[in-house]
Structure formats: C-alpha cells, structure tokens
C-alpha cells in the first residue's frame, strides 16, 4: 500500500452531504479520474467490561475493530495511542467469544462508503460517513501508490490534494510525524480513519440542508 | 461464562464454528525413529517437515471463575511467518461413542505485535514453552510429534531444558461443527500406529 492521507471534507455552505459528495466526484471526473468500484471502511468500538476493570486496576480502554474493503481478508484492531494489530477475519469470531470481557458500545458502529477513483498513480476515495441511518460527514482518502515513505512524497500528495480540495486541503497527518522515514503500512491508514471517525462522532449532527 | 455447546449454535455472520478433534499419546525418546519411520510410510508423501515454535499462553481474568485463555505461537525457524493466535473452548462432553476429544477452536493469523496487543487488552502471560518436532499430514489429519522445552529465563528462548524424556504425539483435525465421522477416521488411523504409540482421548480436566 502506498502513502495515504485521510481527511475530512466539510459540507459545503447550504448544501447537503450528498450534494457535497457529488460536487467533489464531479470535480474528480473532470480532472480525468476513472471510477473503479466502491469501497467501505467500518469501525466498531469495544470497551472493557466492568467485571474485568476491578482486577486490572486501570481505567477502561476503548478498542476499535475496523475493516477496510481494500484488504478484504484482514481485520484491524487498535487502541488509541496504542498498538494496531493486523489479523485475519477470524478475529471477529474471537470478539464474539470475548463478549463477556469486551462489550460493544451501543450504536457505536460507524462506517464510510463511497466510490473509488483512479487517477494515474493516485487512488482517491470519497465516502459518506454514516452512523446508523444518519450521514454525519465526508471522508476523503488519497493514496499515492508508487511511494511507501511518507517524507518522500508528502509534497506531491499535498499538491494533488490542493488541485481538487482547494482551501479544504488538510495538513500532514499525525501518523506521518511519528514515522517519518519508516515504511508506510495499512495500519497507518486505519489509525487515520479511527481519528477521523472519533472527530466526526464528537461533532454536532450535520445539519441537513433544507429538504425542499 | 462459557457459551452453549457450539454444535447447537446457529451459524452467525457468515462464519462457521470450527471444532478441533484431538487424540494424544506419547513415545519415549528411543522409540522416536521407528515412529517417524512408520508415519513417513502412512502419511502423505511430502518433504519431512520440522518445526521450532515458541508458544505463550495468556490469561484474562474477569469476575468469572475461569479466566479466558489465548495461545500465541510464533515460528522460531521460519522468518516472515505470521503469528498464530488460538482460542480453544471447553471439551464437549456427552457422546461416549465419540472417539476423539472435541472442542471449539478459533485460529487467527496476526501481525508480530500480538503480545503487545494482548497486554493492552488486559491479558497477562501465564506460561511459555518451546516446541520442537516433526509434522505430518494425511488428508485433513495433522500428526505432530514434538518435544516440549521449559524456558529457564522468561523471554529468553535460547536457554531451555527438555521437560521430559519423551515426545508428545498429537493427531488432530480442524473441521466444521457437526462432522462426527471425522473421529472415526482418526480412530482408524490411530489403530495403524499401534503398538508404537497409543493415541487416545485424554480429558484435560482429569489430569488436574
């Protein structure tokens, strides 16, 4: 997997989430990007059940279990500021067995779904972030395939992001700072999605533009 | 805390509950060669495969009486192989006619930071050991003949000592729940290994 930047696109003034996504995808198609199927990234949150807390003597931690359609046979499990485990899909079966120790936070499942676009060496994914039935925001993921070292290609990625996000271009993701010259891995992408989902969860419900 | 018998549970979310069928026995060191020779003749034709694994057993203690056990295993002689995380359920009781020990099993391949992750989840290492031996296959049956080594200094896999003067022999099959004819095939295969080794269903609870 190449170096990837995941960011949030704010909803345009007076427009709905759906309309903003359409604006973005139209811009991409005008640039010359080709549609290449769909993608989905989802995240479930678990917290240590009260029964285990007493014996551990530590505050309950949140564990995120995520899936990425780009890696359909894998499952990513991570703690905030902690290790990210990459496992195969049987990990989900294990979480069912661990039901007594780790409880799924109610209604915590958050996911982003949308279209994949290929533009030369860039893979762009624009998705609608939903929690249950409501759309809460827009995620934009851009991957530069040929390079796996973040510091080598960040300026190129930034230039490309500016070409279609304009003023909404994000700064360098936090994960790049931690591992400047290390080889980029899919776990870094999942950490970025986790941070994005947490940010969106905390935001107010996205006001739906007047349904006329 | 344990879930109802797995063979009665519905298939959920597209995954099937897998069961491990197991028969165990042992041979003294001096009988190893003859056993390997017979196994080479009976099993599928393949290059003799040896392994050297380091296994760590982790426990998660909750308010329930029995802690949750997970086994993390890594290969010491194959670089780049993923770590293997295994959950084994309680042996299913009941059918006296069933020839093998049956228990629910979940096998997961993971990245190398497994131990750090398990500690973060709240698991603590209970014990560890090194297993060194030979691996054979016959169809879906797996036969392992290995020696267990105790690790003298925690975390240091170089200083080990053999636990006994024998090799543990295990015949196992991992199959979807409900396929009981598997244990018949296993018993027939075990018959062919007598009298070199007697493989039988050993209930772990009776040993404790």
């Amino acid at each position: 997997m190449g170096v990837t930047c995941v960011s949030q696109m704010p909803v345009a003034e007076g427009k709905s989430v759906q309309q903003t996504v359409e604006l973005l995808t139209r811009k991409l198609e005008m640039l010359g990007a080709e549609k290449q199927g769909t993608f989905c990234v989802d995240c479930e949150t678990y917290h240590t059940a009260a029964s285990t807390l007493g014996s551990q003597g530590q505050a309950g931690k949140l564990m995120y279990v995520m899936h990425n359609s780009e890696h359909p046979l894998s499952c990513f499990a991570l703690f905030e500021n902690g290790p990210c485990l990459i496992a195969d899909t049987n990990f989900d079966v294990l979480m069912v067995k661990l039901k007594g120790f780790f409880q799924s936070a109610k209604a915590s499942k958050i996911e982003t779904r949308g279209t994949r676009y290929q533009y030369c060496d860039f893979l762009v994914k624009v998705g609608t972030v939903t929690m249950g039935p409501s759309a809460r925001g827009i995620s934009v993921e851009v991957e530069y395939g040929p390079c796996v070292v973040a510091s080598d290609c960040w300026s190129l990625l930034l230039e490309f992001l500016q070409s279609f996000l304009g003023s909404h271009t994000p700064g360098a993701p936090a994960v790049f700072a931690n591992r400047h010259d290390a080889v980029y891995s899919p776990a870094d992408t999942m950490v970025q999605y986790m941070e994005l989902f947490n940010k969106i969860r905390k935001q107010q419900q996205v006001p739906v533009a007047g349904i006329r | 805390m344990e879930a109802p018998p797995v063979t009665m549970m519905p298939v959920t979310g597209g995954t099937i509950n897998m069961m491990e069928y197991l028969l165990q026995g042992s041979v003294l060191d001096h009988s190893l060669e003859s056993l390997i020779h017979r196994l080479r003749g009976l099993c599928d034709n393949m290059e003799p495969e040896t392994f050297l694994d380091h296994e760590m057993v982790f426990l998660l203690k909750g308010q329930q009486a029995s802690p949750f056990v997970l086994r993390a295993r890594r290969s010491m002689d194959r670089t780049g192989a993923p770590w293997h995380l295994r959950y084994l359920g309680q042996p299913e009781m009941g059918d006296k006619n069933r020839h093998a020990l049956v228990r629910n099993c979940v096998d997961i391949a993971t990245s190398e930071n497994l131990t750090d992750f398990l500690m973060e989840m709240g698991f603590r290492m209970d014990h560890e050991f090194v297993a060194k031996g030979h691996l054979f296959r016959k169809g879906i049956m797996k036969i392992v003949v290995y020696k267990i080594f105790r690790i003298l200094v925690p975390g240091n896999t170089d200083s080990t000592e053999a636990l006994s003067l024998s090799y543990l022999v295990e015949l196992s099959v991992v199959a979807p729940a409900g396929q009981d004819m598997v244990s018949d095939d296993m018993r027939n295969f075990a018959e062919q290994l007598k009298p070199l080794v007697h493989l039988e269903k050993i209930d772990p609870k009776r040993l404790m």
Side-chain angles (χ1 to χ4, degrees), chain B:
Chain B
M1 192 255 144
E2 280 304 320
V6 170
T7 36
M8 294 196 314
M9 282 165 69
V11 174
T12 48
T15 58
I16 305 173
N17 276 305
M18 298 299 272
M19 307 299 282
E20 185 199 42
Y21 296 80
L22 182 69
L23 285 176
Q24 292 173 304
S26 69
V27 288
L28 291 173
D29 286 352
H30 56 73
S31 309
L32 178 72
E33 277 314 308
S34 11
L35 176 63
I36 300 282
H37 200 253
R38 185 173 292 192
L39 281 170
R40 217 173 269 161
L42 290 172
C43 294
D44 292 346
N45 192 14
M46 47 182 246
E47 280 303 308
E49 209 172 307
T50 58
F51 66 90
L52 178 63
D53 287 349
H54 173 207
E55 180 163 322
M56 291 164 273
V57 180
F58 287 84
L59 296 182
L60 181 61
K61 296 204 174 87
Q63 272 175 2
Q64 295 88 349
S66 54
F68 195 87
V69 182
L70 276 182
R71 298 170 172 271
R73 198 155 174 151
R74 71 171 175 112
S75 174
M76 285 166 63
D77 57 353
R78 279 174 182 71
T79 49
W83 282 58
H84 179 194
L85 181 63
R86 185 164 235 223
Y87 162 77
L88 289 170
Q90 291 300 324
E92 297 218 339
M93 292 291 104
D95 195 357
K96 297 288 189 295
N97 291 334
R98 220 186 259 153
H99 306 293
L101 188 76
V102 186
R103 47 194 185 176
N104 182 214
C105 95
V106 182
D107 288 303
I108 306 147
T110 72
S111 52
E112 292 165 346
N113 53 352
L114 179 61
T115 42
D116 290 337
F117 193 81
L118 287 173
M119 303 284 265
E120 195 79 23
M121 277 174 88
F123 282 86
R124 293 293 171 259
M125 189 173 84
D126 183 61
H127 63 274
E128 55 178 346
F129 60 89
V130 168
K132 180 173 169 33
H134 306 258
L135 169 70
F136 299 89
R137 257 179 271 271
K138 186 166 177 64
I140 54 168
M141 293 192 286
K142 180 171 94 168
I143 302 100
V144 270
V145 180
Y146 65 102
K147 202 183 231 320
I148 300 179
F149 292 82
R150 184 189 292 130
I151 294 176
L152 300 167
V153 175
N156 182 359
T157 48
D158 292 323
S159 65
T160 59
E161 85 179 350
L163 200 60
S164 68
L165 297 170
S166 54
Y167 277 75
L168 185 57
V169 185
E170 289 184 339
L171 167 61
S172 62
V173 174
V174 176
Q179 306 216 335
D180 284 343
M181 63 285 279
V182 158
S183 59
D184 291 334
D185 294 337
M186 287 170 71
R187 199 231 356 216
N188 294 339
F189 185 80
E191 287 294 314
Q192 298 185 322
L193 289 176
K194 291 181 177 165
L196 285 175
V197 63
H198 287 268
L199 293 174
E200 41 192 23
K201 174 166 119 175
I202 297 175
D203 182 2
K205 288 210 200 72
R206 283 204 344 247
L207 299 170
M208 296 206 275

Side-chain angles (χ1 to χ4, degrees), chain A residues 66-200:
Chain A
M66 307 176 71
H67 302 90
N68 186 346
S69 57
E70 209 66 24
H71 310 282
L73 296 178
S74 302
C75 186
F76 300 85
L78 50 142
F79 286 94
E80 209 154 348
N81 300 322
C84 174
L85 184 77
I86 305 176
D88 63 30
T89 45
N90 273 345
F91 191 80
D92 295 321
V93 179
L94 184 66
M95 287 314 294
V96 174
K97 307 277 177 204
L98 276 167
K99 239 187 335 209
F101 297 90
F102 287 91
Q103 269 137 26
S104 175
K106 286 250 153 46
S108 64
K109 181 149 183 186
I110 188 169
E111 63 175 29
T112 174
R113 272 181 199 274
T115 328
R116 285 169 92 238
Y117 287 92
Q118 180 85 40
Y119 177 65
C120 304
D121 294 324
F122 293 97
L123 187 58
V124 184
K125 299 179 197 160
V126 179
T128 310
V129 181
T130 52
M131 259 187 88
S134 57
R136 304 281 231 113
I138 302 165
S139 73
V140 178
E141 177 194 323
V142 179
E143 177 189 343
Y144 180 59
C147 182
V148 290
V149 179
S151 52
D152 286 347
C153 66
W154 171 242
S155 20
L156 178 62
L157 254 176
L158 191 61
E159 230 185 274
F160 178 68
L161 284 164
Q162 275 167 346
S163 72
F164 74 99
L165 289 179
S167 55
H168 302 296
T169 307
V175 286
F176 289 6
N178 301 339
R179 311 150 47 74
H180 234 260
D181 293 324
V183 171
Y184 189 85
S185 97
D188 297 325
T189 304
M190 300 322 277
V191 170
Q192 291 188 60
Y193 268 111
M194 178 211 46
E195 288 168 358
L196 175 75
F197 289 155
N198 280 344
K199 197 165 74 161
I200 289 183

